[in-house]
Amino acid sequence: MNLCFTGDFTKAEVKSMIKGKGGMVGYLGTNDMVAVEKRYLAGEEFPVLAMDSMAYQIAKEICSLQPAFEGRAIDCAILTGGLANCKPLCDKVKEYLGTSGIELVVYPGEDEMGALRSGVAEVLNGVEDAKVYRRPKGVE
């Protein structure tokens, strides 16, 4: 937040730091998880720290959902998308979930285009109504 008020960065630069240059890009200079995984498996100190920290955060977020289940135990969490292709990350999340009783099921891959195709087909076939999303005034 302090960066916003230093005058050293434009609004666009700060937005880029938050979205696009955060996460692994901010730490390791890349969002190529295949490259990060290779560095992790080679035992490079900072990639190991960054990926283990990401796995810790994922496991912590999964466990933080417990109150939403109103006393029922979470028995399973599903990890999907591109990161689910990274076996060391998935293994570390499972390790961090440890004795929580939460099983991690991994479905590697991502299918955004397939999901979009299915959504459009449902609208075209009258199964779903098209939704219109508008940005609130003053929000860029």
Side-chain angles (χ1 to χ4, degrees):
M1 182 180 85
N2 291 336
L3 287 176
C4 297
F5 301 103
T6 64
D8 295 336
F9 302 95
T10 66
K11 181 179 179 180
E13 288 171 326
V14 173
K15 283 177 80 173
S16 176
M17 289 177 199
I18 295 169
K19 183 177 181 186
K21 293 186 181 174
M24 285 296 175
V25 175
Y27 291 123
L28 302 174
T30 184
N31 63 359
D32 179 353
M33 285 302 288
V34 173
V36 172
E37 182 177 357
K38 286 179 184 175
R39 293 173 65 188
Y40 181 92
L41 293 172
E44 283 188 49
E45 184 178 3
F46 203 64
V48 168
L49 180 62
M51 193 181 302
D52 286 354
S53 297
M54 179 185 274
Y56 174 80
Q57 187 64 34
I58 292 168
K60 190 169 77 165
E61 290 298 323
I62 291 168
C63 292
S64 76
L65 296 171
Q66 186 60 60
F69 287 81
E70 299 176 346
R72 296 174 308 223
I74 298 175
D75 57 352
C76 178
I78 299 171
L79 184 61
T80 189
L83 290 178
N85 288 303
C86 184
K87 187 173 181 338
L89 178 71
C90 297
D91 289 347
K92 199 70 176 178
V93 172
K94 287 178 184 179
E95 179 184 325
Y96 284 136
L97 288 174
T99 60
S100 69
I102 302 171
E103 176 189 4
L104 184 69
V105 177
V106 180
Y107 288 103
E110 44 202 291
D111 191 20
E112 289 93 353
M113 289 296 131
L116 288 170
R117 179 188 63 242
S118 296
V120 169
E122 288 183 356
V123 169
L124 293 175
N125 291 322
V127 176
E128 281 283 332
D129 293 328
K131 294 176 178 66
V132 178
Y133 296 93
R134 290 190 176 83
R135 190 175 297 183
K137 289 183 181 183
V139 176
E140 294 180 29

